[in-house]
Amino acid sequence: MQSSNHAPGSRPSQYEDLTTSSDAHTLPALDNVHNGGEEDDVRGGTSGVKTLQSSSTRQGNGTTQSQESKAIEDEPPSTQTQFRLFAGKKVYVLFVGIISVVNSTFGSSLPAGAIHYLAEYFHVTSQAQLVLPISLFLVGYVLGPVVFAPLSETYGRRIIMVSTFALFNIFTLACAVAPNWPFFLVFRLLCGITASSAIAVVGGLFADIYNDPTSRGRAMAFFMAATACGPQLAPIISGYISVVTWRWAFWVGLIIAGVSLAFLCLMQETYGPTILKRRAQRMRRETGNPNIFAPLELEKKGARQMITVTLTRPVRMFLSEAIVLFSCVYISIAYAIFYLFFEAYPLIFEGIYGFNTGTAGLPFLAIGVGALLSVAMFLYWDSKLMRARKANAPWTEVEEYRRLPLAALGGPLYVISLFWLGWTAKSDIHWIVPILSGIPFGVGFMLGKPKGSVFMSLMNYVTDAYETFAASALAATSATRSTFGAVLPIAARPMYNSLGIAWASSLLAFLSLAMSVIPFAFIKYGDRIRANSKFCQELREKKKGYEEEREREESIASSPEHGITPGEVTKQGSM
């Protein structure tokens, strides 16, 4: 056994596999110290323990006892964070992720049905200011994800989601009791910042618990449907209940969020590196060996690392990753138009058809119907994909062919719905006709995302492409789409007043038509883009290294001597 200059408890900067055949019994001995709990739900049950450094400690009798630094490891990055959960536990995590997102998106549009009552109570007459309760919430969607997503990849999903959701409850309460307009707007911004955590982290949450792309894709489909349904229900509820008082709209939001927080608190941690860190801490306590570490504990820490590496990762991915950049642009336009409708629909259905504030929210249900139809379409596509994979169809091995065909379909539907709305919203045409345009809009909006519809398909495509870095990649898309969603609605009323309903909608349709080219470009060039991606290359190298290591260990375990030879140094990535 080699000696080391590291003192017991010090953290070596690199892995060094120094275990010899005489130490082989240490592996199962340390593997069996687990007492159960959420850490044991990680794939692989009890992870292997790898020696990092050896060190010597001098005993009181003058003898020297060898003590080893060990790192507990799980599986390759592609499966490293996968929970080995019972189906019921996975469904619970899925349920918690969905209700957290519904609360977030529900809160975003909650003032839409109460805006007239808010204007009357706070004596606000400027139309530009009346857009701010929604726009400032979406500004929070810009600021929050770039912080919460990378933090969840450092400290775990649960602590970030629970803490931010608790703050969301507090700020929703503050909105309900706001004494004046400036305070109300500040609390709406803080609500948006804390609510953005769910949007940013849930994609990574599902990547943690679902190993295969099929299961993960289905989970993301329901997730994206939830993001679309939340904003459509809120204007209806607030429109009807604000007749009593606008404050009750936020009391209802608080009640729903408070009940959801209870479910969130019961969720287990799902992020594999964090679970392994807890396991290492427990093993240090139970074995008395201070030199057992999880890989996460060996990564560089500190304020400089946090700022230059962790928190800047979404920004770096946006600037350097073509898939992230163009997905952000496409989704941002779709998202901005979606939130612009909270300004356009009252102009159409209150201005042209004479709806009151309650019934003016009902047309949003058509978009919800379209979103649900998109889920059904995705599940149909997914079942077709599964049959093709069982038949070993070559096209199923291509990431772009699995994820993006529905996005290619969603784009044209999105364009059609905008022309439909613009040119049928006339007093001599029945109101049901422009309302029905919301169905293809909902389908196209969801399908255009990287994993099903535009939204669904692209989000899943990003998740599958970046796996371990999915939360940061999705944070980049969340921040950019929220920027567009916050800014474009401010221009909605001036644009519709200047161009008219028909041509304003047509302008948005032409813009969407240009964006609908992006999924087709990904289908043709996506494999080459991923091949040149710095982040994708890092993931491939990690997978390759882990696979070689597993093969080596399996070969050693099958040998008669069961000896373990020194391995190659494994350096921690700085991504």
Side-chain angles (χ1 to χ4, degrees):
M1 182 67 66
Q2 300 177 12
S3 62
S4 171
N5 294 327
H6 290 277
S10 64
R11 298 184 180 184
S13 60
Q14 298 173 338
Y15 291 90
E16 294 182 17
D17 192 349
L18 303 174
T19 308
T20 63
S21 59
S22 61
D23 297 315
H25 63 85
T26 305
L27 300 178
L30 288 176
D31 273 348
N32 292 330
V33 301
H34 307 293
N35 296 324
E38 71 177 25
E39 292 89 344
D40 291 325
D41 281 330
V42 180
R43 178 174 295 276
T46 56
S47 298
V49 180
K50 177 181 286 188
T51 301
L52 293 177
Q53 290 283 150
S54 63
S55 62
S56 298
T57 58
R58 186 165 298 278
Q59 307 300 309
N61 57 8
T63 62
T64 300
Q65 179 181 346
S66 177
Q67 194 171 33
E68 298 165 349
S69 297
K70 302 176 183 297
I72 59 173
E73 292 187 349
D74 204 23
E75 309 227 356
S78 59
T79 59
Q80 178 182 350
T81 60
Q82 314 303 330
F83 248 7
R84 177 172 285 180
L85 292 174
F86 293 114
K89 287 187 177 182
K90 287 189 176 182
V91 170
Y92 184 80
V93 174
L94 174 63
F95 168 72
V96 168
I98 288 176
I99 63 172
S100 64
V101 170
V102 168
N103 273 273
S104 177
T105 57
F106 182 89
S108 68
S109 62
L110 195 56
I115 200 68
H116 296 307
Y117 303 98
L118 284 164
E120 181 180 353
Y121 184 87
F122 290 120
H123 307 293
V124 178
T125 57
S126 170
Q127 290 297 324
Q129 286 197 46
L130 292 178
V131 180
L132 294 179
I134 292 179
S135 290
L136 285 176
F137 191 100
L138 296 179
V139 170
Y141 273 15
V142 178
L143 302 176
V146 296
V147 175
F148 298 136
L151 286 180
S152 76
E153 295 168 343
T154 301
Y155 298 104
R157 318 292 190 195
R158 185 180 182 277
I159 188 172
I160 300 299
M161 291 189 66
V162 172
S163 59
T164 54
F165 199 82
L167 290 173
F168 171 69
N169 276 257
I170 293 173
F171 294 131
T172 301
L173 170 63
C175 288
V177 298
N180 54 51
W181 183 246
F183 271 94
F184 177 76
L185 294 180
V186 170
F187 292 141
R188 284 293 294 170
L189 172 62
L190 295 174
C191 277
I193 292 173
T194 52
S196 68
S197 174
I199 301 292
V201 175
V202 164
L205 187 77
F206 294 160
D208 292 344
I209 65 173
Y210 292 106
N211 180 22
D212 64 290
T214 299
S215 299
R216 185 166 61 243
R218 291 175 178 176
M220 287 295 290
F222 288 108
F223 161 62
M224 296 317 305
T227 65
C229 290
Q232 292 141 24
L233 296 175
I236 300 172
I237 294 174
S238 61
Y240 280 109
I241 204 168
S242 293
V243 175
V244 180
T245 172
W246 65 266
R247 297 185 188 274
W248 259 108
F250 294 92
W251 286 119
V252 170
L254 178 62
I255 292 170
I256 296 172
V259 173
S260 302
L261 178 60
F263 289 102
L264 207 65
C265 290
L266 297 175
M267 184 184 71
Q268 295 180 353
E269 178 59 64
T270 64
Y271 191 50
T274 297
I275 296 174
L276 290 176
K277 177 182 176 181
R278 295 177 182 176
R279 176 177 296 172
Q281 292 170 342
R282 188 182 65 196
M283 291 174 69
R284 287 198 293 269
R285 291 193 304 268
E286 295 179 352
T287 65
N289 183 356
N291 299 313
I292 299 175
F293 303 107
L296 186 63
E297 296 177 288
L298 301 175
E299 294 181 357
K300 295 179 180 179
K301 294 293 196 305
R304 181 177 180 181
Q305 174 76 7
M306 179 67 65
I307 294 172
T308 60
V309 177
T310 303
L311 295 183
T312 62
R313 189 183 298 138
V315 177
R316 287 185 289 120
M317 295 186 80
F318 175 79
L319 296 176
S320 64
E321 299 293 312
I323 290 175
V324 175
L325 173 62
F326 287 104
S327 294
C328 285
V329 172
Y330 189 7
I331 293 174
S332 295
I333 296 298
Y335 201 73
I337 294 173
F338 177 72
Y339 275 93
L340 183 144
F341 275 13
F342 291 112
E343 300 299 319
Y345 268 34
L347 288 174
I348 294 171
F349 296 105
E350 292 181 30
I352 296 177
Y353 294 104
F355 286 18
N356 61 37
T357 55
T359 54
L362 295 177
F364 288 104
L365 290 177
I367 299 177
V369 171
L372 294 176
L373 286 176
S374 73
V375 174
M377 294 172 63
F378 169 76
L379 294 177
Y380 169 76
W381 169 257
D382 199 51
S383 63
K384 181 177 179 180
L385 176 62
M386 288 182 65
R387 290 193 297 270
R389 294 180 72 174
K390 289 180 180 179
N392 295 320
W395 65 269
T396 62
E397 300 301 319
V398 181
E399 189 69 47
E400 287 71 22
Y401 291 168
R402 293 201 306 266
R403 296 306 192 193
L404 294 176
L406 289 180
L409 172 64
L413 288 175
Y414 201 70
V415 175
I416 290 171
S417 69
L418 290 168
F419 282 121
W420 181 343
L421 175 68
W423 294 96
T424 61
K426 299 179 180 179
S427 57
D428 57 341
I429 298 178
H430 194 275
W431 50 262
I432 193 63
V433 178
I435 286 179
L436 290 177
S437 69
I439 295 177
F441 181 89
V443 174
F445 177 67
M446 294 303 298
L447 287 179
K449 304 178 180 183
K451 171 69 189 158
S453 57
V454 170
F455 209 5
M456 223 183 289
S457 299
L458 288 177
M459 298 299 282
N460 275 327
Y461 181 49
V462 170
T463 299
D464 288 348
Y466 294 100
E467 296 180 353
T468 300
F469 303 121
S472 289
L474 294 178
T477 65
S478 178
T480 51
R481 74 173 185 251
S482 298
T483 301
F484 278 69
V487 173
L488 190 57
I490 297 176
R493 285 182 179 270
M495 181 177 69
Y496 272 89
N497 289 334
S498 299
L499 300 179
I501 301 296
W503 283 108
S505 298
S506 296
L507 176 62
L508 299 174
F510 287 124
L511 184 60
S512 300
L513 181 62
M515 293 297 101
S516 64
V517 175
I518 291 176
F520 293 96
F522 281 166
I523 290 174
K524 184 173 179 61
Y525 303 108
D527 56 341
R528 277 176 270 180
I529 295 174
R530 286 187 290 110
N532 295 322
S533 163
K534 181 179 179 182
F535 284 85
C536 290
Q537 288 172 0
E538 175 75 9
L539 286 173
R540 283 194 297 270
E541 289 299 318
K542 286 187 176 182
K543 290 179 185 179
K544 181 180 178 181
Y546 274 98
E547 190 62 33
E548 291 176 351
E549 180 67 16
R550 285 203 305 176
E551 291 178 357
R552 188 185 67 83
E553 291 178 355
E554 290 173 0
S555 175
I556 293 171
S558 62
S559 65
E561 297 82 3
H562 296 283
I564 301 179
T565 59
E568 296 180 351
V569 173
T570 304
K571 296 184 179 179
Q572 294 298 306
S574 60
M575 288 281 181

